[in-house]
Amino acid sequence: MIKINEHFNKLQASYLFSDIAKRVSRYQEDNPDKTIIKLGIGDVTKPLPPACIEAFHKAVDEMAGEEGFRGYGPEQGYDFLRKAIATADFKARGADISSAEIFVSDGAKCDTGNFQELFSPDSVIAIPDPVYPVYLDTNVMAGRTGSFSDGRYEGVVYLESTRENNFVPSLPHQPVDLIYLCFPNNPTGSTISKEELKTWVDYARQNKALILFDAAYEAFINDDSLPKTIYEIEGAEEVAVEFRSFSKSGGFTGTRCAYTVVPKACVAYIADGTPQSLHGLWNRRHCTKFNGVSYPVQRAAEALYSPEGKQQAQALVNYYMKNARLIRTAMSDLGFTCVGGDNSPYIWIEGNMDSWKFFDLLLDKAGVVCTPGAGFGKCGEGYIRLSAFNSFENVSLAMDRIKNSLA
Ligand code: MLT
């Protein structure tokens, strides 16, 4: 008899964003005349930067000839991209990360979801609440949690991010092994200072723990005093893996390209306490389960590091950040307490009502889709998240509609 992995049965009925998409299409079927503005899932709407398009075309043309044709590429990514990443994203910030420590992939979602495979099933995980659901669900699938009751999985150490702690969780009170952190934060839009991040790195070093640092939104940081990478913190290379993505900064949500940094100094331990390099383990896993991102996509990603590409990507970021400011101002003017939108494309809004009720209200009265905070965890109850990823015209219209319907 073939048996299923029963840990899957502990998961909530469906993935948050699929659940929302179903509700929205049901609403659209019932209200075919209404135009809906989506500020829910953070999916980009602007086309790829021209520098990427040009590089893409060129690479496809290369693939059309016997000489330029390429089959399987290196699983870790082509050197041209890994070198560009190490130089611009790390060395330029004073972080000593080499190209050999970069693993190019098809998404930070997959990488943040897959990385937990390297660790023992009995590892104690610390997960923020609210949180991007992928970190939690993949640990549930792996059997690292008990069952779900009263909005929480047993056995998980929840790191509460609330108005009281400015949405930056405090260190756990009990020992934990694997810590997920995301800054600028999805969903709350909060940021972390270098001093605060240092307390986490110090904790991980003292407790032989590992930090999985999701920096997918670093491009949206305006405040230069904030860390863009965890490797700006001394000693982080021993205790932290970092996830990055071109999805939001380069418009690659549909094109798929991201990378994970696994420093050679970073270790986990075998049962007798002997340290083992995570770089070697991840490399083994990556080569077994992944065959690399396509050559044209990697050339397009490389183009984001050219002088024109940098400018064009910055223009995309600026465009969405103008939306973010508009959302934050409009919602604040309506009397809501807001976080984010200054160094992040997400605005976390305290709704003073059940968050699914607020979701239904905005959809019904304004035809605007948000993400209900409760979908990100128990501490998200009472909040909604609005995303800045849409056209400026749609965001302006959405804000007008919300003003009219809530006034
Ligand atoms: C989000 O809306 O939280 C993100 O777009 C989801 C993702 O990047 O997978």
PDB file of all heavy atoms in Angstrom, residues 15 17 40-43 109 132 186 217 248 346 376 385, ligand 1:
ATOM      1  N   TYR A  15      -3.061  27.231  -0.383  1.00  0.00           N
ATOM      2  CA  TYR A  15      -2.044  28.268  -0.277  1.00  0.00           C
ATOM      3  C   TYR A  15      -2.734  29.634  -0.326  1.00  0.00           C
ATOM      4  O   TYR A  15      -3.655  29.854  -1.126  1.00  0.00           O
ATOM      5  CB  TYR A  15      -1.054  28.097  -1.446  1.00  0.00           C
ATOM      6  CG  TYR A  15       0.086  29.076  -1.431  1.00  0.00           C
ATOM      7  CD1 TYR A  15       0.979  29.097  -0.371  1.00  0.00           C
ATOM      8  CD2 TYR A  15       0.263  29.980  -2.470  1.00  0.00           C
ATOM      9  CE1 TYR A  15       2.031  30.009  -0.345  1.00  0.00           C
ATOM     10  CE2 TYR A  15       1.310  30.886  -2.462  1.00  0.00           C
ATOM     11  CZ  TYR A  15       2.183  30.892  -1.390  1.00  0.00           C
ATOM     12  OH  TYR A  15       3.213  31.800  -1.367  1.00  0.00           O
ATOM     13  N   PHE A  17      -2.358  32.648  -1.523  1.00  0.00           N
ATOM     14  CA  PHE A  17      -2.620  33.436  -2.730  1.00  0.00           C
ATOM     15  C   PHE A  17      -3.539  32.701  -3.721  1.00  0.00           C
ATOM     16  O   PHE A  17      -4.253  33.330  -4.491  1.00  0.00           O
ATOM     17  CB  PHE A  17      -1.304  33.880  -3.382  1.00  0.00           C
ATOM     18  CG  PHE A  17      -0.567  34.872  -2.515  1.00  0.00           C
ATOM     19  CD1 PHE A  17       0.595  34.513  -1.843  1.00  0.00           C
ATOM     20  CD2 PHE A  17      -1.063  36.151  -2.333  1.00  0.00           C
ATOM     21  CE1 PHE A  17       1.260  35.412  -1.020  1.00  0.00           C
ATOM     22  CE2 PHE A  17      -0.415  37.067  -1.505  1.00  0.00           C
ATOM     23  CZ  PHE A  17       0.752  36.698  -0.845  1.00  0.00           C
ATOM     24  N   GLY A  40      -3.185  42.769  -4.306  1.00  0.00           N
ATOM     25  CA  GLY A  40      -3.024  41.626  -3.409  1.00  0.00           C
ATOM     26  C   GLY A  40      -1.629  41.051  -3.548  1.00  0.00           C
ATOM     27  O   GLY A  40      -0.660  41.599  -3.004  1.00  0.00           O
ATOM     28  N   ILE A  41      -1.491  39.977  -4.319  1.00  0.00           N
ATOM     29  CA  ILE A  41      -0.177  39.350  -4.492  1.00  0.00           C
ATOM     30  C   ILE A  41       0.801  40.372  -5.091  1.00  0.00           C
ATOM     31  O   ILE A  41       0.420  41.189  -5.934  1.00  0.00           O
ATOM     32  CB  ILE A  41      -0.269  38.076  -5.359  1.00  0.00           C
ATOM     33  CG1 ILE A  41       1.038  37.282  -5.284  1.00  0.00           C
ATOM     34  CG2 ILE A  41      -0.625  38.394  -6.792  1.00  0.00           C
ATOM     35  CD1 ILE A  41       0.944  35.873  -5.824  1.00  0.00           C
ATOM     36  N   GLY A  42       2.047  40.321  -4.630  1.00  0.00           N
ATOM     37  CA  GLY A  42       3.046  41.264  -5.125  1.00  0.00           C
ATOM     38  C   GLY A  42       3.570  40.825  -6.476  1.00  0.00           C
ATOM     39  O   GLY A  42       4.672  40.280  -6.558  1.00  0.00           O
ATOM     40  N   ASP A  43       2.781  41.076  -7.515  1.00  0.00           N
ATOM     41  CA  ASP A  43       3.230  40.688  -8.856  1.00  0.00           C
ATOM     42  C   ASP A  43       3.418  41.933  -9.706  1.00  0.00           C
ATOM     43  O   ASP A  43       2.498  42.751  -9.828  1.00  0.00           O
ATOM     44  CB  ASP A  43       2.209  39.753  -9.506  1.00  0.00           C
ATOM     45  CG  ASP A  43       2.774  39.090 -10.752  1.00  0.00           C
ATOM     46  OD1 ASP A  43       3.971  39.306 -11.058  1.00  0.00           O
ATOM     47  OD2 ASP A  43       2.033  38.357 -11.422  1.00  0.00           O
ATOM     48  N   LYS A 109      11.238  31.823  -3.885  1.00  0.00           N
ATOM     49  CA  LYS A 109      10.184  31.015  -3.256  1.00  0.00           C
ATOM     50  C   LYS A 109      10.653  29.561  -3.141  1.00  0.00           C
ATOM     51  O   LYS A 109      10.567  28.947  -2.082  1.00  0.00           O
ATOM     52  CB  LYS A 109       8.910  31.093  -4.093  1.00  0.00           C
ATOM     53  CG  LYS A 109       7.749  30.281  -3.560  1.00  0.00           C
ATOM     54  CD  LYS A 109       6.543  30.431  -4.482  1.00  0.00           C
ATOM     55  CE  LYS A 109       5.305  29.805  -3.893  1.00  0.00           C
ATOM     56  NZ  LYS A 109       4.114  30.055  -4.723  1.00  0.00           N
ATOM     57  N   TYR A 132       5.617  35.232   5.447  1.00  0.00           N
ATOM     58  CA  TYR A 132       5.428  34.712   4.084  1.00  0.00           C
ATOM     59  C   TYR A 132       5.177  33.204   4.250  1.00  0.00           C
ATOM     60  O   TYR A 132       6.018  32.499   4.819  1.00  0.00           O
ATOM     61  CB  TYR A 132       6.715  34.998   3.308  1.00  0.00           C
ATOM     62  CG  TYR A 132       6.790  34.503   1.889  1.00  0.00           C
ATOM     63  CD1 TYR A 132       5.743  34.697   1.002  1.00  0.00           C
ATOM     64  CD2 TYR A 132       7.945  33.872   1.436  1.00  0.00           C
ATOM     65  CE1 TYR A 132       5.841  34.263  -0.302  1.00  0.00           C
ATOM     66  CE2 TYR A 132       8.052  33.436   0.128  1.00  0.00           C
ATOM     67  CZ  TYR A 132       6.988  33.629  -0.737  1.00  0.00           C
ATOM     68  OH  TYR A 132       7.092  33.211  -2.031  1.00  0.00           O
ATOM     69  N   ASN A 186       8.153  41.066   4.336  1.00  0.00           N
ATOM     70  CA  ASN A 186       6.912  40.683   3.706  1.00  0.00           C
ATOM     71  C   ASN A 186       6.193  39.846   4.754  1.00  0.00           C
ATOM     72  O   ASN A 186       6.748  38.827   5.166  1.00  0.00           O
ATOM     73  CB  ASN A 186       7.183  39.830   2.457  1.00  0.00           C
ATOM     74  CG  ASN A 186       5.899  39.402   1.787  1.00  0.00           C
ATOM     75  OD1 ASN A 186       4.845  39.925   2.080  1.00  0.00           O
ATOM     76  ND2 ASN A 186       5.999  38.428   0.895  1.00  0.00           N
ATOM     77  N   TYR A 217      13.463  41.850  -1.000  1.00  0.00           N
ATOM     78  CA  TYR A 217      12.966  43.221  -1.221  1.00  0.00           C
ATOM     79  C   TYR A 217      14.022  44.280  -0.932  1.00  0.00           C
ATOM     80  O   TYR A 217      13.690  45.452  -0.771  1.00  0.00           O
ATOM     81  CB  TYR A 217      11.703  43.448  -0.377  1.00  0.00           C
ATOM     82  CG  TYR A 217      10.583  42.514  -0.805  1.00  0.00           C
ATOM     83  CD1 TYR A 217      10.383  41.298  -0.162  1.00  0.00           C
ATOM     84  CD2 TYR A 217       9.778  42.827  -1.888  1.00  0.00           C
ATOM     85  CE1 TYR A 217       9.392  40.407  -0.579  1.00  0.00           C
ATOM     86  CE2 TYR A 217       8.781  41.953  -2.318  1.00  0.00           C
ATOM     87  CZ  TYR A 217       8.597  40.746  -1.656  1.00  0.00           C
ATOM     88  OH  TYR A 217       7.623  39.887  -2.094  1.00  0.00           O
ATOM     89  N   LYS A 248      11.114  41.247  -8.194  1.00  0.00           N
ATOM     90  CA  LYS A 248      10.468  42.531  -7.949  1.00  0.00           C
ATOM     91  C   LYS A 248      11.364  43.682  -8.396  1.00  0.00           C
ATOM     92  O   LYS A 248      10.891  44.698  -8.876  1.00  0.00           O
ATOM     93  CB  LYS A 248      10.104  42.679  -6.464  1.00  0.00           C
ATOM     94  CG  LYS A 248       9.463  41.438  -5.831  1.00  0.00           C
ATOM     95  CD  LYS A 248       8.064  41.137  -6.352  1.00  0.00           C
ATOM     96  CE  LYS A 248       7.668  39.685  -6.165  1.00  0.00           C
ATOM     97  NZ  LYS A 248       7.138  39.273  -4.929  1.00  0.00           N
ATOM     98  N   TYR A 346       5.358  47.041   0.302  1.00  0.00           N
ATOM     99  CA  TYR A 346       4.133  46.601   0.972  1.00  0.00           C
ATOM    100  C   TYR A 346       3.735  47.581   2.061  1.00  0.00           C
ATOM    101  O   TYR A 346       4.601  48.126   2.760  1.00  0.00           O
ATOM    102  CB  TYR A 346       4.320  45.209   1.580  1.00  0.00           C
ATOM    103  CG  TYR A 346       4.546  44.143   0.533  1.00  0.00           C
ATOM    104  CD1 TYR A 346       5.648  43.303   0.593  1.00  0.00           C
ATOM    105  CD2 TYR A 346       3.654  43.984  -0.526  1.00  0.00           C
ATOM    106  CE1 TYR A 346       5.866  42.335  -0.383  1.00  0.00           C
ATOM    107  CE2 TYR A 346       3.860  43.023  -1.500  1.00  0.00           C
ATOM    108  CZ  TYR A 346       4.967  42.197  -1.427  1.00  0.00           C
ATOM    109  OH  TYR A 346       5.175  41.253  -2.389  1.00  0.00           O
ATOM    110  N   PHE A 376      -1.380  35.535   6.878  1.00  0.00           N
ATOM    111  CA  PHE A 376       0.068  35.461   7.143  1.00  0.00           C
ATOM    112  C   PHE A 376       0.357  35.003   8.573  1.00  0.00           C
ATOM    113  O   PHE A 376       1.513  34.957   8.974  1.00  0.00           O
ATOM    114  CB  PHE A 376       0.708  36.841   6.947  1.00  0.00           C
ATOM    115  CG  PHE A 376       0.656  37.377   5.535  1.00  0.00           C
ATOM    116  CD1 PHE A 376      -0.216  38.403   5.197  1.00  0.00           C
ATOM    117  CD2 PHE A 376       1.480  36.864   4.541  1.00  0.00           C
ATOM    118  CE1 PHE A 376      -0.249  38.926   3.905  1.00  0.00           C
ATOM    119  CE2 PHE A 376       1.449  37.384   3.254  1.00  0.00           C
ATOM    120  CZ  PHE A 376       0.579  38.412   2.932  1.00  0.00           C
ATOM    121  N   ARG A 385      -2.770  43.758   3.963  1.00  0.00           N
ATOM    122  CA  ARG A 385      -1.567  44.224   3.257  1.00  0.00           C
ATOM    123  C   ARG A 385      -1.989  44.736   1.886  1.00  0.00           C
ATOM    124  O   ARG A 385      -2.722  44.061   1.167  1.00  0.00           O
ATOM    125  CB  ARG A 385      -0.578  43.060   3.085  1.00  0.00           C
ATOM    126  CG  ARG A 385       0.771  43.498   2.534  1.00  0.00           C
ATOM    127  CD  ARG A 385       1.606  42.323   2.061  1.00  0.00           C
ATOM    128  NE  ARG A 385       1.145  41.837   0.765  1.00  0.00           N
ATOM    129  CZ  ARG A 385       1.738  40.866   0.070  1.00  0.00           C
ATOM    130  NH1 ARG A 385       2.807  40.260   0.547  1.00  0.00           N
ATOM    131  NH2 ARG A 385       1.263  40.487  -1.110  1.00  0.00           N
TER     132      ARG A 385
HETATM  133  C1  MLT B   1       3.678  38.144  -2.127  1.00  0.00           C
HETATM  134  O1  MLT B   1       2.727  38.749  -2.605  1.00  0.00           O
HETATM  135  O2  MLT B   1       3.834  37.963  -0.922  1.00  0.00           O
HETATM  136  C2  MLT B   1       4.691  37.612  -3.079  1.00  0.00           C
HETATM  137  O3  MLT B   1       4.488  38.092  -4.338  1.00  0.00           O
HETATM  138  C3  MLT B   1       4.596  36.173  -3.162  1.00  0.00           C
HETATM  139  C4  MLT B   1       5.823  35.625  -3.790  1.00  0.00           C
HETATM  140  O4  MLT B   1       6.773  36.343  -4.089  1.00  0.00           O
HETATM  141  O5  MLT B   1       5.822  34.404  -3.958  1.00  0.00           O
END
